[in-house]
Amino acid sequence: MKTSFKNIQQQLRLNRWVVLSVVIVSGLVCIISVTIVAQMHKNILNSAFVVNGSGDVIPLQWIHERENLEVEALAHLEQFHRWFYEVDAANYGRHMEKALWLGDASVDALFRQKKADGFYNRLMQYSLVQKVERIDSKIDLATEPYRFETRTVFHINRGSVTDTYELSTSGKLMAVERHFPHNPHGLLIMDFFENSLRKIENNETTKK
């Protein structure tokens, strides 16, 4: 029995759709496979690990985040201590306003205490200039809030006489929402405390 020409056309049309469907499905499978492989590669890079000096395995991404946090924390403490302790009769008001944005009520309480003790009045009365020379901070980033200790060396210029002091302060840092320009690092100083203040003699300054 002979197959009609119409049946042959239908068969060819069916075969063409089958082939086209196979090609489309194969293309989609290839695209999905490439996408999955690229995503896996990206995840592997983001989840890379390194071994520290103690033999502990640490995610590389966590190390980068910690390094960035350390840089911002040090910059935050540097800026705060310069605004809070580098003052004179002309700028102390502006500096205190900026410094208070970087700390909590403990910073405000210390400012009020200094004001009540007459520190800023003496600053204006005798035209004193307090200039920060060096700020060294150590931060423990193991847990939040992050504990810190800062050593600030500053000079007090009393006209013809200049005295040098070393101040030790401590506190904690807590992450907060960034606020430009008042708090660009998104950190807040808590439990701020002045631990000790000592005068540095001239021979110590010379040695350093």
Side-chain angles (χ1 to χ4, degrees):
M1 182 177 178
K2 294 183 180 180
T3 304
S4 65
F5 180 73
K6 184 176 181 180
N7 291 338
I8 293 175
Q9 280 187 323
Q10 290 177 349
Q11 190 66 36
L12 291 175
R13 188 179 296 111
L14 178 62
N15 290 343
R16 183 175 63 183
W17 280 111
V18 170
V19 172
L20 184 59
S21 300
V22 171
V23 171
I24 293 174
V25 171
S26 300
L28 290 175
V29 170
C30 290
I31 293 174
I32 293 174
S33 299
V34 170
T35 303
I36 292 175
V37 171
Q39 187 63 38
M40 290 176 61
H41 179 68
K42 182 179 179 180
N43 291 338
I44 290 173
L45 289 178
N46 290 337
S47 302
F49 295 88
V50 296
V51 179
N52 64 9
S54 304
D56 300 323
V57 178
I58 302 175
L60 190 60
Q61 183 179 9
W62 184 82
I63 290 180
H64 290 161
E65 291 177 355
R66 178 166 175 166
E67 289 175 348
N68 292 337
L69 174 59
E70 184 176 12
V71 170
E72 295 219 46
L74 290 173
H76 187 86
L77 293 173
E78 170 93 14
Q79 189 63 78
F80 168 77
H81 283 80
R82 287 201 178 276
W83 277 338
F84 201 80
Y85 294 107
E86 189 166 282
V87 291
D88 58 38
N91 68 20
Y92 92 89
R94 296 192 307 273
H95 280 206
M96 290 304 106
E97 182 180 356
K98 293 178 180 179
L100 291 175
W101 275 95
L102 305 184
D104 69 353
S106 62
V107 175
D108 182 64
L110 181 59
F111 166 64
R112 292 179 183 276
Q113 179 186 334
K114 287 178 177 289
K115 192 173 183 179
D117 291 342
F119 172 76
Y120 300 109
N121 287 335
R122 291 192 298 273
L123 198 72
M124 292 184 291
Q125 182 178 357
Y126 299 107
S127 300
L128 303 180
V129 176
Q130 187 165 290
K131 181 75 173 178
V132 172
E133 176 186 311
R134 187 169 66 256
I135 299 171
D136 299 313
S137 297
K138 294 181 180 179
I139 310 171
D140 181 6
L141 298 177
T143 56
E144 188 180 354
Y146 314 110
R147 296 181 178 276
F148 71 85
E149 293 182 358
T150 300
R151 174 177 170 269
T152 304
V153 176
F154 60 89
H155 307 293
I156 296 182
N157 189 316
R158 298 181 172 88
S160 60
V161 179
T162 299
D163 295 323
T164 303
Y165 295 87
E166 178 185 275
L167 173 68
S168 173
T169 56
S170 62
K172 300 175 184 176
L173 282 175
M174 180 180 69
V176 295
E177 186 176 353
R178 295 177 188 270
H179 190 297
F180 184 84
H182 301 299
N183 192 339
H185 299 109
L187 294 167
L188 188 71
I189 295 173
M190 306 166 52
D191 301 334
F192 187 67
F193 188 73
E194 293 183 344
N195 300 306
S196 63
L197 176 68
R198 74 180 185 94
K199 185 176 180 181
I200 300 177
E201 302 301 331
N202 293 333
N203 56 346
E204 292 185 70
T205 307
T206 304
K207 290 179 181 178
K208 294 180 181 181

